[in-house]
Amino acid sequence: MKNLLAWAFAVSLLSGAPVQAAAPGLDFHLFENAYVRNGAPEAGYDAVRRAVPVGADARGGVAMLRQAGAHCGAARDGQVDCFYRQRISVDDVVDTYATWDMQLNLSGDKVAAVNVERSVEQR
């Protein structure tokens, strides 16, 4: 197992891909399987709120969301908007995407509130 992990790490380094560890307990790549397909998207919302609780350092919260796979913009007007998008279905005509939108409301450099919402769209 150690050799397999070392090999994966070496391949990642040689490919130029960034090496990141997902935030403990938060990995957006697993959200669709772990929460939605089991009928509990609210559990995903709670997982985000536990990972970035009210009162947390805003920069640390944004960094944690990014490590878990989200894309976040810069702080603007007292908030930071982040999202994670995943294709959940491929069809001959239409692809279906799930998007997890997160908004961190800030008070100074601390998180004052965390809003999370999941939406689905077809293109």
Side-chain angles (χ1 to χ4, degrees):
M1 184 66 160
K2 284 183 183 179
N3 289 338
L4 181 60
L5 290 174
W7 177 81
F9 182 73
V11 167
S12 177
L13 285 177
L14 292 173
S15 72
V19 178
Q20 293 183 352
L26 187 66
D27 184 348
F28 289 109
H29 304 287
L30 302 176
F31 268 33
E32 290 301 311
N33 290 332
Y35 300 120
V36 176
R37 290 193 178 129
N38 292 324
E42 297 81 15
Y45 302 171
D46 293 339
V48 171
R49 290 187 186 108
R50 278 191 307 274
V52 184
V54 169
D57 174 66
R59 287 184 186 178
V62 169
M64 183 171 293
L65 292 174
R66 285 180 174 155
Q67 286 178 347
H71 302 276
C72 298
R76 186 183 307 180
D77 298 327
Q79 68 186 36
V80 176
D81 293 317
C82 301
F83 74 92
Y84 172 78
R85 182 170 292 127
Q86 177 178 331
R87 184 169 39 191
I88 57 175
S89 175
V90 178
D91 195 325
D92 289 339
V93 179
V94 176
D95 291 342
T96 304
Y97 295 85
T99 302
W100 293 77
D101 289 304
M102 293 142 292
Q103 183 181 68
L104 304 181
N105 294 320
L106 309 177
S107 177
D109 62 348
K110 301 290 183 189
V111 175
V114 179
N115 300 312
V116 184
E117 183 177 323
R118 178 186 178 267
S119 61
V120 175
E121 69 177 308
Q122 293 182 328
R123 296 185 188 179

